[in-house]
Amino acid sequence: MSRPTRDLRAFADPAALAAAGAAEFFARALRAHANGRIFCCALSGGATPSSMFRQMAERGSLARLPVGFWSSVHFFWGDERDAPPDHPDSNYRLAWEALLGRIDIPEKNIHRIRAGSGPALAAAAAYESELIQFFALHPGEFPRFDLIFLGMGDDGHVASIFPRSEALQERTRLVAAPFVAKLNSYRITLTLPVLNNAACIIFLIQGNDKAETLRRVLTEALHPDQLPAQAIQPGTGELLWLVDQAAAAALD
Ligand code: 6PG
């Protein structure tokens, strides 16, 4: 495993970071729409992306988008908490309130991880079946998302792949449902083979509490078991780190 070339861009503050993330989304999704292709985007959760989602919704409600643009976009999730869609912890709820409920996107284009109404393992299996069907996968194939947004925890976790998690070793399943001891809860997450098969992965990282971890991830020897963000190495895809100055504070 070698370290991919790094495209890191630092922005003055969270608002500028959110605008940059939204601009990257529209640049790619509009190109796909212009070429008559659908655009499959997996959203991240946590607190960071909500500002970007709101900026996407604001641009999405203006007349500046081509007719039918949102009908060519399909939203998925990189991970989800073991909580129902109306729960404060739900990544779906975060995206619905900040973006999806504010744009004219067909319901069938929103591929929620159906967590919170049964075991996390069942939600993971259902999501995996939906991915296999939607991407028309043959056995052993992985879906290729056009864009996956990821955040990073201050422990270096990505999606819901945490340090020393068994999910780090998953090489065949598309979706896993690891028990996260530090959270005392199950999560549902795309696995590394799926994440690393994306055409483009964009990290969105903000805040001084991420600075030391970001420095370790980008400059120290590769120990993905301790720093799962180091395991994000898209084979043929782009890898873009969008950070604010606070998160970049420990980088030279
Ligand atoms: C989640 C996310 C997770 C998140 C990081 C960073 O479900 O929590 O998918 O991977 O991106 O924990 O979260 P913050 O943006 O809240 O710092």
Side-chain angles (χ1 to χ4, degrees):
M1 183 186 280
S2 61
R3 193 183 300 282
T5 53
R6 190 173 88 193
D7 184 352
L8 182 139
R9 302 172 200 170
F11 296 87
D13 53 43
L17 173 64
E24 292 295 337
F25 166 81
F26 281 112
R28 290 168 172 81
L30 284 165
R31 194 157 54 236
H33 181 77
N35 294 330
R37 289 190 295 106
I38 62 168
F39 188 77
C40 297
C41 176
L43 302 174
S44 60
T48 300
S50 56
S51 175
M52 177 182 69
F53 293 162
R54 283 195 298 274
Q55 296 211 24
M56 287 163 67
E58 280 159 27
R59 178 162 174 192
S61 58
L62 301 175
R64 284 186 302 189
L65 293 176
V67 173
F69 168 74
W70 288 117
S71 296
S72 64
V73 177
H74 285 258
F75 284 118
F76 298 79
W77 275 262
D79 73 323
E80 185 54 280
R81 284 78 180 286
D82 188 15
D86 58 353
H87 192 282
D89 287 351
S90 166
N91 289 337
Y92 167 83
R93 174 175 159 172
L94 169 85
W96 174 263
E97 291 180 342
L99 171 61
L100 303 175
R102 303 174 179 211
I103 58 175
D104 184 21
I105 186 167
E107 190 177 339
K108 67 177 179 58
N109 290 29
I110 300 172
H111 304 269
R112 181 175 76 88
I113 299 175
R114 297 187 178 284
S117 58
L121 200 57
Y127 191 47
E128 180 162 312
S129 299
E130 182 169 358
L131 293 176
I132 289 168
Q133 183 184 9
F134 183 85
F135 287 94
L137 300 177
H138 295 104
E141 283 186 330
F142 296 104
R144 186 169 175 79
F145 284 93
D146 295 293
L147 173 59
I148 297 180
F149 281 112
L150 289 177
M152 184 189 74
D154 59 7
D155 59 358
H157 79 259
V158 291
S160 283
I161 303 175
F162 285 76
R164 293 170 293 285
S165 163
E166 76 271 13
L168 278 157
Q169 316 312 325
E170 184 57 59
R171 293 292 178 270
T172 52
R173 303 304 306 264
L174 309 184
V175 186
F179 180 75
V180 183
K182 73 183 286 189
L183 302 174
N184 191 32
S185 70
Y186 283 92
R187 288 285 188 93
I188 298 108
T189 185
L190 292 179
T191 58
L192 287 173
V194 175
L195 296 175
N196 282 327
N197 197 42
C200 178
I201 293 177
I202 296 180
F203 273 102
L204 216 66
I205 302 172
Q206 71 184 37
N208 197 256
D209 60 323
K210 306 289 176 72
E212 177 54 16
T213 304
L214 183 61
R215 183 197 65 76
R216 293 185 59 209
V217 164
L218 295 179
T219 64
E220 290 186 353
L222 291 176
H223 291 293
D225 197 51
Q226 296 165 28
L227 293 169
Q230 290 184 328
I232 298 302
Q233 305 207 18
T236 57
E238 282 181 82
L239 175 57
L240 186 51
W241 299 79
L242 302 184
V243 304
D244 70 353
Q245 291 289 1
L251 299 176
D252 60 28

